[in-house]
Amino acid sequence: MTHWFHRNPLKATAPVPFNFYGVATTPAASKICNDLRLSRTRLLELFTDSSCNPEMMKNATDLYFSLLQGFILSLDGSSQECKLRYIQNFKWTDTLQGHVPSAQQDAVFELVSMGFNVALWYTKYASRLAGKEDITEDEAKDVHRSLKIAAGIFKHLKESHIPKLITPVEKGRDLEARLIDSYIIQCQAEAQEVTIARAIELKHNPGLIAALAYETANFYQKADQTLSSLDPAYAGKWRKYLNLKTCFYMAYAYCYHGQTLLASDKCGEAIRSLQESEKFFAKAEALCKEYGETKGPGTTAKPSGHLFFRKLGTLIKNTLEKCQRENGFIYFQKVPAEAPQLELKANYGLVEPVPFEFPALNAHWTPETLNAFDLTKRPKDDT
């Protein structure tokens, strides 16, 4: 089953030469600077390389982050700050606020900004794979895994590294808790979409599918509420996506809940559940149009024309007609005025982020190499 996911743009950054002429006093120290420059350039190239896969990305990130850690970590394992942490200035733009860069002379700022982009790459890789016409089982597993990895990276940055920044995070910027939380929840919700598609394909119990769809709709609603206090000029399009996915999966939940009720000979309640499903589907359809017309960062698409959207519309129509037919011939039950309350809890298939850790310090970082960086040789006007 093909999927469609909204994606915000990658962060952009200024080149970093790591040219510490005079400061790096030995060939080993100069080599680390050169390796940092080359591995950073390579990693940035991979972000926009359509042939890049998770293995290539992991190798590139492990190399760069293991070298960068030498500017942050103490070599003796103590909590003491590394003397090189504030030697280099880094500039990064924002996924929502576009071309206005933030700059900090802090290696931790580089670590979390690049880490954020790596997480975004995993979401974009998943989106590209999930949008294929005939996605294989192995590719679906790749999509599922990539989204869980991305959620794990965002979570690790938020909990372990962003709090270490000296300069407080600006409101509405990528590294702020509201945005990070929304990215984490969105990744979890999208991974559950893959689980739902698999459950439908394997004809699992409608009760399980309804519960998973309901939990997924709640995830999307929670992500939207997290963004509610942000400026609509930046977050409006993203929120339309989260809203339409909430309605879409509520429609799924009521549709499959209706099937469960029909199987229990509660045909009148099943019809009411399917009517509620139709209402949510109509809301999702209207939101698809609004999404397409809303300006702002993110992908441009017409989700209502997408296969995943059209298939649900057909399923609701056919299931409702079947319930009405059977009620007219067999059950003759009254259709309740109120829609059934969904109190569904999924016991299987719920997604948790994959725990993430940055790689260990590169072996080239030794006490001798670190001592070879002489900060007294920095130019006088180097702030």
Side-chain angles (χ1 to χ4, degrees):
M1 183 178 180
T2 58
H3 299 269
W4 168 76
F5 302 135
H6 166 93
R7 289 293 172 259
N8 291 326
L10 287 162
K11 294 162 79 67
T13 181
V16 180
F18 293 103
N19 285 336
F20 303 125
Y21 298 123
V23 175
T25 59
T26 66
S30 297
K31 183 183 183 328
I32 278 185
C33 296
N34 191 49
D35 288 349
L36 270 164
R37 185 179 71 255
L38 293 174
S39 59
R40 187 180 197 266
T41 304
R42 173 66 181 147
L43 182 50
L44 292 172
E45 285 168 357
L46 286 180
F47 286 146
T48 53
D49 182 350
S50 59
S51 66
C52 179
N53 60 41
E55 188 185 353
M56 291 163 69
M57 180 54 63
K58 186 171 186 330
N59 291 338
T61 51
D62 280 357
L63 177 59
Y64 180 60
F65 289 136
S66 71
L67 289 164
L68 185 66
Q69 298 270 51
F71 280 49
I72 300 166
L73 301 177
S74 165
L75 292 186
D76 60 8
S78 71
S79 58
Q80 195 178 345
E81 207 167 71
C82 178
K83 68 177 185 178
L84 301 177
R85 178 173 167 179
Y86 307 107
I87 194 174
Q88 176 70 57
N89 192 44
F90 298 96
K91 269 188 193 176
W92 284 91
T93 63
D94 211 59
T95 57
L96 292 185
Q97 297 193 29
H99 304 301
V100 183
S102 296
Q104 288 192 36
Q105 190 132 338
D106 186 349
V108 173
F109 179 64
E110 167 72 357
L111 185 81
V112 294
S113 300
M114 189 67 87
F116 193 99
N117 243 19
V118 171
L120 277 182
W121 179 87
Y122 275 101
T123 69
K124 286 176 179 284
Y125 173 76
S127 179
R128 196 166 67 241
L129 209 53
K132 288 174 67 177
E133 280 292 317
D134 301 309
I135 182 167
T136 66
E137 187 183 331
D138 283 344
E139 286 170 335
K141 283 179 183 172
D142 255 2
V143 172
H144 197 257
R145 194 182 305 112
S146 296
L147 289 165
K148 291 196 295 181
I149 289 169
I153 296 171
F154 285 128
K155 190 169 186 279
H156 182 64
L157 294 176
K158 182 197 168 195
E159 291 174 356
S160 303
H161 297 281
I162 292 170
K164 293 176 186 170
L165 287 168
I166 302 297
T167 308
V169 175
E170 298 167 61
K171 280 199 167 18
R173 291 283 185 169
D174 283 340
L175 305 180
E176 203 218 324
R178 287 176 297 179
L179 271 92
I180 293 257
D181 283 341
S182 292
Y183 275 116
I184 294 168
I185 300 163
Q186 182 180 331
C187 287
Q188 288 176 279
E190 289 174 349
Q192 278 183 202
E193 288 194 45
V194 180
T195 307
I196 292 167
R198 182 79 180 139
I200 291 168
E201 201 180 314
L202 295 177
K203 296 185 169 48
H204 276 298
N205 183 318
L208 170 66
I209 296 168
L212 274 172
Y214 183 59
E215 301 263 22
T216 304
N218 286 339
F219 264 143
Y220 278 119
Q221 189 174 33
K222 189 178 169 189
D224 174 53
Q225 286 166 350
T226 309
L227 294 175
S228 61
S229 52
L230 285 175
D231 185 341
Y234 301 131
K237 194 175 184 75
W238 190 4
R239 289 193 65 199
K240 287 283 183 218
Y241 166 77
L242 298 170
N243 274 322
L244 82 84
K245 281 290 180 90
T246 303
C247 291
F248 184 77
Y249 279 97
M250 283 302 287
Y252 248 124
Y254 273 110
C255 179
Y256 277 91
H257 186 55
Q259 291 183 27
T260 307
L261 291 167
L262 181 62
S264 308
D265 296 327
K266 296 175 180 174
C267 198
E269 288 178 48
I271 290 170
R272 187 64 191 84
S273 191
L274 266 300
Q275 287 170 344
E276 199 65 15
S277 179
E278 269 192 328
K279 277 187 197 170
F280 274 108
F281 187 75
K283 270 191 205 169
E285 209 162 21
L287 282 162
C288 283
K289 191 164 182 260
E290 288 173 33
Y291 172 84
E293 291 167 355
T294 304
K295 289 184 166 53
T299 40
T300 305
K302 290 186 176 172
S304 56
H306 202 285
L307 182 64
F308 87 96
F309 198 87
R310 297 199 311 272
K311 275 173 95 168
L312 176 58
T314 308
L315 178 69
I316 295 167
K317 181 174 173 286
N318 293 346
T319 312
L320 179 57
E321 284 173 1
K322 180 187 174 186
C323 290
Q324 287 168 331
R325 228 176 13 251
E326 299 209 0
N327 204 39
F329 276 114
I330 305 165
Y331 295 102
F332 305 105
Q333 291 174 2
K334 192 180 175 191
V335 177
E338 291 292 312
Q341 284 296 307
L342 293 183
E343 292 172 358
L344 307 170
K345 195 86 188 131
N347 298 319
Y348 309 99
L350 293 177
V351 168
E352 283 300 320
V354 170
F356 175 81
E357 289 288 336
F358 281 109
L361 201 60
N362 193 286
H364 287 129
W365 281 108
T366 62
E368 294 76 33
T369 316
L370 185 61
N371 290 336
F373 285 87
D374 185 353
L375 299 189
T376 62
K377 303 280 177 64
R378 290 172 80 183
K380 291 286 182 285
D381 61 347
D382 187 8
T383 54

